Amino acid sequence: EEKRIREFYQSRGLDRVTQPSGDDTVGGDPMGLPYSTFDHSRAHYFRYDEHVSLCLEKLRPPQPPDMLCPSQQKYVRCSVRAQIRHLRRVLCHRLGLSLQHVQILFDNEPLPDHMTMKQLWLSRWFGKPAPLLLHYSIKDKRR
């Protein structure tokens, strides 16, 4: 039984939860509640989240069949808490453009910056196989 419990906690990256014995509450909860040595200050990192797989393609205008060029596909795996604004900023940084020149689309519809990947997946891609297909467009640099 001890081995099973130890494997359970190790598989989740936690240390074994210990019970304070009797009057011994040094370093524990004065109420005598169980506690663990898991460092919750690090639990906010995105590596503890669910992840979503994306395919980001550049939106290209329709071309005749003889002028087709291979599309550049970029596969991304990110936290479900990431927002469209985060994806746009990374894309802008990679392309060397400012934010107002890049737009992320789903089915030719611009996505709002505040939408999270989980909201996007559940509202538009639920039940379909991964990766979620998104497009980006680059607006003209005219002023």
Side-chain angles (χ1 to χ4, degrees), residues 29-83:
D29 190 331
M31 303 284 290
L33 297 174
Y35 65 95
S36 77
T37 58
F38 181 70
D39 184 9
H40 290 280
S41 65
R42 293 184 356 213
H44 188 66
Y45 292 140
F46 290 131
R47 70 172 165 245
Y48 294 105
D49 290 346
E50 295 175 282
H51 286 87
V52 63
S53 298
L54 307 171
C55 177
L56 259 173
E57 286 185 344
K58 184 174 181 181
L59 187 65
R60 298 189 186 280
Q63 296 177 347
D66 57 341
M67 294 183 62
L68 285 179
C69 62
S71 65
Q72 293 179 348
Q73 293 185 345
K74 292 285 185 178
Y75 292 96
V76 180
R77 186 169 176 242
C78 63
S79 167
V80 292
R81 288 193 287 169
Q83 296 178 340

